[in-house]
Amino acid sequence: MKSLLFKNWHLMRYFRLALALMLFAQAYETQQWFYLLFGLFFLMQALFNLGCGASGCDVNYKKKNHHS
């Protein structure tokens, strides 16, 4: 768990973290508390490295060699 949180930080993780912090500030400033939900969404993506990368949301399938 510790390595998941503290390793492999890249531009998109920093961007999601910054977006979450801006949404938290916006929620506090305007007292529009639904911004907290969006902020939490982006915070979870940043902390746990979830979401799609630059190449999209592809699933890597391994090709199996089928011998008949």
Side-chain angles (χ1 to χ4, degrees):
M1 178 64 111
K2 190 176 180 180
S3 67
L4 178 66
L5 293 176
F6 296 112
K7 292 188 179 185
N8 196 22
W9 279 82
H10 46 78
L11 180 64
M12 279 308 295
R13 283 184 81 176
Y14 286 117
F15 177 75
R16 289 177 183 136
L17 181 62
L19 187 58
L21 294 176
M22 286 190 303
L23 285 167
F24 291 151
Q26 184 71 19
Y28 178 76
E29 184 178 314
T30 63
Q31 297 185 356
Q32 302 271 337
W33 302 114
F34 68 91
Y35 285 126
L36 287 176
L37 295 175
F38 295 112
L40 285 173
F41 173 74
F42 286 109
L43 181 65
M44 291 298 113
Q45 281 191 331
L47 289 180
F48 298 113
N49 200 16
L50 301 172
C52 298
S55 62
C57 295
D58 292 339
V59 176
N60 293 330
Y61 293 106
K62 292 183 179 180
K63 274 191 172 182
K64 291 185 178 182
N65 244 344
H66 294 288
H67 296 287
S68 300

